[in-house]
Amino acid sequence: MNKISEDIILDKYVYSSSFTLKIYKIIKYFIGKFSNSSELLRTCQNNNLREAKMTYRIDQILFYSSKLKTERMKLLNGTKEQLKEAYEEILRKKKFYNNNVEKTVEAKVLMKCILRLKETYDLQTVLTKMANQAYDSNNQEHEDKLMKLWTLLKGDEVLSSRKSEQWQTIGFQGVDPATDFRGMGILGLDQLIYFAQNFNETAKHILDCSHHKYSWYSFAITGINLTALALELTRGRYLQYYLISHEASIESFNEFYCYLFAEFNNYWFKRPEPVTVMNFNEVFKDFKMKIIERLINQTPIIVDTEKKKY
């Protein structure tokens, strides 16, 4: 049986409850008093932790520390100068100085992890800006992207006009897809394109599945909902370990989105009883909880490109 790592235990059983978190902080207080060290320092001293695990533990500590709220905000939203200031303040507060004079060797380890965390915070800012950028029918770049999506999914089939009921065949609600991107802006479109371009066979297969006679659902609208879910999971820190373990980049975020799409399609068609579009919200909510559970357990995220029949 595999040993569950400390960070997973903390996420599942400690940080999830205000009561257990208070008990944990009391225990930390006495450990700190007896060892004359901080949890942050002890984490940086743990040579058994891989860099990704250590970085994630540091993120947990910073997030749940009541004494480092100001420093964490500087790390989240601050400039390079503010990041350095926050770093120095953390070193002083968390005993990273020998005799209050010289920095410990662990201080360098902390900075390396902080810089890696900063990348995840910056990515969240970029993604939010993309989601807030509304689709503009007068923007030729946006229009070109939309037509690219059509070509990737429908090949040589020609649109009768820019506004056409044909858009509904790839899961948009009406004759003009522009109105469906209001929630997730250009990010929703970019992710649909990424999936259709990088996993074309899988995307087309899932599009075919979405046309099921009984258990049909709207492919494009579902894709936009999955973008919203992926962004929610990022903001809620559920995606932190994944981003730290891989690369805090738009590409990594898009790969996770492709994973979500493939997993949702599997989940939709493997229900104990067949479902219809009327069950969509209920099924999507259950799917979200399953994904959160996997992320907390740090289950490997792999895009399944195998074509399956339902």
Side-chain angles (χ1 to χ4, degrees):
M1 182 176 178
N2 292 332
K3 183 180 178 182
I4 301 176
S5 62
E6 180 186 7
D7 52 329
I8 296 177
I9 293 172
L10 289 169
D11 274 337
K12 293 180 72 171
Y13 306 113
V14 177
Y15 296 139
S16 59
S17 164
S18 58
F19 175 74
T20 54
L21 181 57
K22 286 179 182 178
I23 299 298
Y24 179 67
K25 286 187 174 183
I26 291 171
I27 294 171
K28 282 199 307 176
Y29 172 79
F30 284 108
I31 292 175
K33 282 292 184 182
F34 284 117
S35 64
N36 192 33
S37 65
S38 66
E39 183 184 24
L40 199 57
L41 177 60
R42 293 192 298 274
T43 299
C44 292
Q45 290 171 335
N46 189 344
N47 295 324
N48 293 323
L49 287 178
R50 292 183 292 107
E51 185 178 335
K53 283 282 189 181
M54 181 177 290
T55 303
Y56 184 65
R57 277 294 294 122
I58 289 171
D59 189 50
Q60 287 178 315
I61 294 167
L62 293 176
F63 185 82
Y64 289 102
S65 173
S66 57
K67 295 181 180 179
L68 296 176
K69 287 183 178 179
T70 301
E71 290 76 14
R72 185 172 183 276
M73 289 308 298
K74 288 181 179 178
L75 295 178
L76 273 170
N77 306 312
T79 62
K80 287 184 179 181
E81 288 301 317
Q82 289 175 318
L83 186 145
K84 290 179 181 178
E85 288 175 12
Y87 170 66
E88 292 296 336
E89 289 165 8
I90 292 170
L91 293 185
R92 285 193 292 272
K93 285 184 178 182
K94 296 301 177 180
K95 302 179 180 179
F96 279 81
Y97 281 93
N98 289 319
N99 300 318
N100 295 319
V101 177
E102 184 181 357
K103 292 178 184 177
T104 64
V105 293
E106 291 78 19
K108 290 183 179 180
V109 175
L110 179 63
M111 175 53 91
K112 186 176 182 179
C113 292
I114 283 177
L115 290 175
R116 199 163 175 179
L117 285 177
K118 179 63 174 169
E119 292 175 354
T120 68
Y121 302 151
D122 290 345
L123 175 63
Q124 188 177 143
T125 300
V126 171
L127 294 173
T128 298
K129 287 181 179 179
M130 292 175 69
N132 290 337
Q133 183 183 0
Y135 184 94
D136 182 2
S137 298
N138 296 317
N139 186 319
Q140 191 57 50
E141 183 182 350
H142 292 186
E143 288 287 285
D144 289 344
K145 284 184 175 183
L146 186 59
M147 297 311 300
K148 181 178 182 180
L149 176 64
W150 173 266
T151 302
L152 286 167
L153 291 174
K154 301 297 284 186
D156 296 331
E157 183 178 332
V158 179
L159 275 170
S160 59
S161 63
R162 165 60 180 79
K163 293 183 179 180
S164 167
E165 290 185 356
Q166 288 171 274
W167 288 111
Q168 296 172 26
T169 64
I170 62 172
F172 288 104
Q173 291 179 329
V175 297
D176 187 2
T179 59
D180 291 329
F181 292 111
R182 288 172 183 166
M184 283 292 107
I186 206 67
L187 180 62
L189 176 55
D190 281 352
Q191 292 213 290
L192 281 167
I193 291 172
Y194 186 93
F195 185 38
Q197 183 168 284
N198 291 277
F199 300 95
N200 189 254
E201 286 190 11
T202 303
K204 286 181 177 178
H205 172 66
I206 292 176
L207 176 60
D208 288 341
C209 290
S210 73
H211 291 156
H212 191 278
K213 184 177 180 180
Y214 180 79
S215 297
W216 64 270
Y217 64 86
S218 300
F219 177 89
I221 296 300
T222 298
I224 295 169
N225 283 330
L226 290 170
T227 294
L229 174 58
L231 189 55
E232 180 186 346
L233 294 173
T234 304
R235 290 169 173 166
R237 297 183 63 260
Y238 293 109
L239 209 57
Q240 272 295 81
Y241 183 72
Y242 167 79
L243 292 174
I244 290 168
S245 299
H246 294 76
E247 181 183 19
S249 65
I250 292 176
E251 183 174 4
S252 291
F253 183 75
N254 286 339
E255 288 286 313
F256 177 71
Y257 168 83
C258 296
Y259 164 82
L260 280 182
F261 219 138
E263 289 299 305
F264 176 79
N265 192 64
N266 291 338
Y267 193 73
W268 178 263
F269 286 103
K270 290 185 177 180
R271 310 303 299 149
E273 296 291 335
V275 292
T276 72
V277 72
M278 298 300 292
N279 307 114
F280 185 87
N281 289 340
E282 177 188 349
V283 174
F284 197 85
K285 183 179 179 180
D286 290 343
F287 173 72
K288 172 184 171 181
M289 298 312 297
K290 289 288 184 183
I291 292 299
I292 287 175
E293 182 181 4
R294 291 182 194 179
L295 291 172
I296 289 175
N297 289 324
Q298 297 176 9
T299 304
I301 304 298
I302 301 171
V303 182
D304 182 8
T305 58
E306 180 185 352
K307 295 174 70 174
K308 299 174 181 177
K309 302 298 181 184
Y310 301 100

